[in-house]
Amino acid sequence: MAGQEDPVQREIHQDWANREYIELITSSIKKIADFLNSFDMSCRSRLATLNEKLTALERRIEYIEARVTKGETLT
Amino acid sequence: MPLVTRNIEPRHLCRQKLPRVRNELECVTNIDLANVIRQLGSLSKNAEDIFGELFTQAKTFASRVSSLAERVDRLQVKVTQLDPKEEEVSLQGINTRKAFRSSTIQDQKLFDRDSLPVPILETYSTCDTPPPLNNLTPYRDDGKEALKFYTNPSYFFDLWKEKMLQDTKDIMKEKRKHRKEKKDNPNRGNVNPRKIKTRKEEWEKMKMGQEFVESKEKLGLSGYSPALVYQNGSIGSVENVDAGSYPPPPQADIASSPSPSFSEDNLPPPPAEFSYPADNQRGSVLAAPKRSSVVSPSHPPPAPPLGSPPGPKPGFASPPAPPPPPPLGIPPPPPAMGFGSPETPLPPSPASFPPHPDFAAPPPPPPPPAADYPTLPPPPMSQPAGGVPPPPPPPPPPGPPPLPFSGGDGQPAVPPPPISDATKPKSSLPAVSDARSDLLSAIRQGFQLRRVEEQREQEKHDVVGNDVATILSRRIAVEYSDSEDDSSEFDEDDWSD
């Protein structure tokens, strides 16, 4: 009995260690995935703000160009 | 149901049947590690996708910024060359020069199949494609795609487009009639003089603020008009829109996002556009419940309620022009039918539908009186067929149909036999027993004429631009020219007399 316990025990210990290792890996994977998603979202929102500013700038420039050109290239 | 955009693939590390090994715990560990590696693979694929999308967006912005920088440089040079004393400002210049209009490009097709992110497109591609019903298209007589009867992603857009085009036509007709009436009585003066509109009332109304002006149709606050317009289906107040539509250019300010088109607020918005790839799954989900009611939006108005979809009954309710979708009440096949009644539904039908020979497929047993109408031509019969959405398999040629058709024809005619007789517009149909061949040839001719007309109409329709913005803008233009005509007439009345 004692002889049997030892290898089984060893195996079970080993198994527990493996599982902990795998758990570590998978939780890191989840953290990476979370990070990627939040990075994506924040990047998109910043790009959207940039887009807004760009559009506003473009409209202003269009208007200024129309004001400045003395009727040369009025479309 | 929301779809997950990016999924990391082997979701469960070890939920599978284990093979027979001596040491199961080790086996499980090894399987887990292998799946972890697969998960890392899919994670890196998703990461690459994410960064790719962000990169393309950033690239477009970079190009926009560089072009803006160039424009700013050019402007800078130009402005330094400006000299306020040297510039001449002529009165004619102010009036004759074209006023500044900022570019009003509206974003369209935002939620199209093309703008779908790639991972979701891949999810869609794992679904089943719709059945290849388009193989049956060459066997159809009316030239419609057979798959459209099963699933039609552009259904709602087509419906909306028809409605808009119809509305523009109606408005133009009214205008023409109005103009004609005015031209016809130039010397009679105003029989019904317009109520004298004074500017004072308008200013009073606008006193409290533009938002509180009561619209023509009493839509209430213009802020709520979009919601209410859905119920009315009509365009909101013209006054509101007029005042708001031409803001002076210097006010093109930065912070406020310009309301791109008030017009879009006021009109019932077009449905979301779907592109139409061969394997569109969404369309089938949407189309399934709706299929039961209408076959093709291009013929909404004139369709008499046609047979309910699964039933093999030939729906042919007598009143010629009820709305297509709801009242698909088909009268149960009555044992006996009146003679005159089948004729009455006929004339409107050729006017509305091209032949649907596929209707011939589910004919009910022809009741005996129906045998008297062997010569009734296929086209009217095909009309009820149009209402049967999942079309029966390859439609037989229009030759054989007359006999089964006459069977179907008889049934729905019974319910209002006296009324239909009374309201029969086409008096050209002779009595049944006499000159059946003349009847047949006359109707056939009539039918063919209409078919050509319809083709011409269809060609005309194809010329029209197919996107929301052009259609809406045309409709708005017609509305505005209409109101401008009215107001110009008002002005003329003001000055005349």
Side-chain angles (χ1 to χ4, degrees), chain B residues 361-405:
Chain B
D372 284 323
Y373 298 71
T375 58
L376 285 177
M381 165 203 72
S382 59
Q383 183 193 12
V388 181
L403 194 49
F405 158 67

Side-chain angles (χ1 to χ4, degrees), chain B residues 401-461:
Chain B
L403 194 49
F405 158 67
S406 47
D409 191 30
Q411 294 174 346
V414 179
I419 309 172
S420 44
D421 275 345
T423 58
K424 205 38 232 88
K426 233 193 188 178
S427 49
S428 58
L429 297 181
V432 177
S433 40
D434 314 338
R436 267 187 233 139
S437 51
D438 288 351
L439 169 59
L440 169 63
S441 55
I443 293 185
R444 273 217 180 112
Q445 255 186 5
F447 163 69
Q448 273 168 11
L449 285 175
R450 280 188 205 92
R451 196 193 214 164
V452 168
E453 277 178 15
E454 280 192 46
Q455 276 183 6
R456 244 182 281 133
E457 263 192 51
Q458 266 190 8
E459 286 167 15
K460 226 191 323 168
H461 275 251

Side-chain angles (χ1 to χ4, degrees), chain B residues 154-183:
Chain B
S154 56
Y155 168 73
F156 293 105
F157 175 67
D158 291 338
L159 204 57
W160 175 83
K161 188 169 90 169
E162 286 285 333
K163 182 169 181 300
M164 287 292 121
L165 292 175
Q166 194 59 39
D167 287 347
T168 46
K169 278 192 204 144
D170 293 342
I171 291 174
M172 281 174 37
K173 268 189 208 145
E174 277 184 33
K175 261 184 16 189
R176 261 180 249 137
K177 212 175 33 169
H178 203 59
R179 226 175 273 153
K180 215 178 172 189
E181 282 179 10
K182 260 211 96 180
K183 237 198 297 182

Side-chain angles (χ1 to χ4, degrees), chain A residues 70, chain B residues 76-83 86:
Chain A
K70 299 181 192 162
Chain B
Q76 205 180 27
V77 166
K78 222 174 191 183
V79 163
T80 50
Q81 291 171 351
L82 274 182
D83 188 2
E86 166 190 310

Side-chain angles (χ1 to χ4, degrees), chain B residues 37-390:
Chain B
I37 295 182
R38 295 195 185 101
Q39 280 189 344
L40 282 173
S42 77
L43 177 69
S44 74
K45 178 163 168 286
N46 290 343
E48 192 231 355
D49 188 47
I50 290 176
F51 289 120
E53 283 180 16
L54 292 174
F55 176 71
T56 47
Q57 269 201 347
K59 210 161 71 155
T60 50
F61 289 172
S63 60
R64 273 167 75 181
V65 162
S66 61
S67 72
L68 264 183
E70 280 179 23
R71 281 162 85 178
V72 165
D73 284 338
R74 264 183 258 142
L75 270 181
Q76 205 180 27
V77 166
K78 222 174 191 183
V79 163
T80 50
Q81 291 171 351
L82 274 182
D83 188 2
K85 292 178 196 150
E86 166 190 310
E87 195 169 311
E88 19 80 49
V89 178
S90 60
L91 281 176
Q92 293 149 352
I94 293 181
N95 286 343
T96 56
R97 280 211 215 146
K98 185 169 168 193
F100 170 72
R101 290 270 181 272
S102 61
S103 66
T104 47
I105 301 174
Q106 299 163 359
D107 278 346
Q108 285 200 84
K109 295 206 177 206
L110 289 174
F111 293 102
D112 210 11
R113 212 8 101 87
D114 310 328
S115 62
L116 199 60
V118 171
I120 300 194
L121 203 53
E122 286 171 9
T123 314
Y124 270 114
S125 62
T126 60
C127 304
D128 291 337
T129 61
L133 290 174
N134 269 332
N135 294 339
L136 298 174
T137 313
Y139 303 110
R140 289 194 71 85
D141 278 352
D142 54 4
K144 297 202 187 108
E145 289 180 30
L147 192 60
K148 288 210 185 263
F149 293 98
Y150 178 78
T151 164
N152 187 6
S154 56
Y155 168 73
F156 293 105
F157 175 67
D158 291 338
L159 204 57
W160 175 83
K161 188 169 90 169
E162 286 285 333
K163 182 169 181 300
M164 287 292 121
L165 292 175
Q166 194 59 39
D167 287 347
T168 46
K169 278 192 204 144
D170 293 342
I171 291 174
M172 281 174 37
K173 268 189 208 145
E174 277 184 33
K175 261 184 16 189
R176 261 180 249 137
K177 212 175 33 169
H178 203 59
R179 226 175 273 153
K180 215 178 172 189
E181 282 179 10
K182 260 211 96 180
K183 237 198 297 182
D184 285 345
N185 339 330
N187 300 329
R188 275 180 48 187
N190 248 349
V191 178
N192 303 327
R194 204 185 290 266
K195 174 174 157 231
I196 296 178
K197 272 197 235 173
T198 50
R199 294 283 165 186
K200 189 178 176 191
E201 286 178 16
E202 291 183 22
W203 292 123
E204 282 278 330
K205 274 194 243 168
M206 299 227 278
K207 178 174 73 169
M208 298 304 294
Q210 182 70 326
E211 296 90 20
F212 295 102
V213 173
E214 261 189 279
S215 60
K216 265 193 214 164
E217 281 132 31
K218 308 220 168 155
L219 285 181
L221 295 183
S222 58
Y224 296 133
S225 58
L228 291 177
V229 164
Y230 290 102
Q231 301 164 16
N232 284 352
S234 55
I235 292 197
S237 77
V238 181
E239 304 150 54
N240 277 350
V241 154
D242 267 339
S245 62
Y246 305 112
Q251 280 183 18
D253 52 330
I254 320 141
S256 71
S257 56
S259 64
S261 44
F262 50 82
S263 53
E264 282 184 352
D265 280 352
N266 289 345
L267 286 177
E273 298 185 44
F274 300 127
S275 60
Y276 183 33
D279 51 346
N280 182 351
Q281 277 310 296
R282 267 184 316 183
S284 56
V285 169
L286 281 178
K290 190 74 179 143
R291 278 299 101 201
S292 55
S293 38
V294 174
V295 160
S296 83
S298 50
H299 302 282
L306 303 177
S308 67
K313 305 184 230 174
F316 207 175
S318 47
L328 295 188
I330 295 115
M337 349 159 299
F339 277 169
S341 41
E343 294 175 320
T344 60
L346 282 184
S349 46
S352 50
F353 273 104
H356 278 235
D358 56 350
F359 175 67
D372 284 323
Y373 298 71
T375 58
L376 285 177
M381 165 203 72
S382 59
Q383 183 193 12
V388 181

